Amino acid sequence: MRVTPNGISTSSDKSYNSFQIGAGITMNLERRGDIVEATLSGSINSPLSSNTKFTVGTIPFGYRPNRTAYIMVHMTSSINSAHIDVEPNGICTWWGTSTHTGAPRGHQMWFTYDALQK
């Protein structure tokens, strides 16, 4: 049993989802109850500039945040940083310096009201 923003829950459901959001970036999602943990990995393989919306993949229903979540991104072996907005509709947007290479890493957690798809 645990307390969530929606009340008391007795579910211990856990689920995973991993997909490409675009530009060579992979998002790994783990959901436990009403909390989603997102982890970024991959290597950028196409040009990105600030306010680029990723169109290859969106956050699937069941993992979408209640309100806009911000994933802080650092580039391995670099001083560059950025963030990715994750909207409640599942669309992700890159906010950072223009780049066409790099290995982004990031992590964030958020609450979801989405029903967990089985």
Side-chain angles (χ1 to χ4, degrees):
M1 184 180 318
R2 62 184 194 285
V3 177
T4 71
N6 298 321
I8 296 175
S9 175
T10 58
S11 171
S12 61
D13 289 344
K14 179 168 70 169
S15 64
Y16 301 94
N17 200 320
S18 180
F19 62 99
Q20 291 280 319
I21 61 172
I25 301 173
T26 298
M27 186 172 296
N28 299 292
L29 302 169
E30 179 179 338
R31 179 170 171 173
R32 291 179 185 254
D34 294 330
I35 298 173
V36 175
E37 180 177 15
T39 306
L40 296 175
S41 61
S43 294
I44 294 174
N45 60 16
S46 63
L48 285 174
S49 58
S50 197
N51 196 22
T52 298
K53 293 196 183 313
F54 293 99
T55 57
V56 172
T58 60
I59 304 292
F61 189 82
Y63 298 89
R64 295 177 179 179
N66 296 342
R67 61 179 182 220
T68 303
Y70 308 101
I71 302 175
M72 296 294 130
V73 179
H74 73 276
M75 303 295 269
T76 60
S77 302
S78 169
I79 60 169
N80 291 331
S81 63
H83 75 270
I84 294 176
D85 288 0
V86 180
E87 300 293 337
N89 63 5
I91 294 174
C92 298
T93 306
W94 174 268
W95 293 99
T97 58
S98 295
T99 187
H100 62 279
T101 61
R105 300 294 182 264
H107 177 264
Q108 185 60 279
M109 297 175 82
W110 59 73
F111 286 105
T112 185
Y113 292 137
D114 290 351
L116 186 58
Q117 304 297 300
K118 302 260 178 183

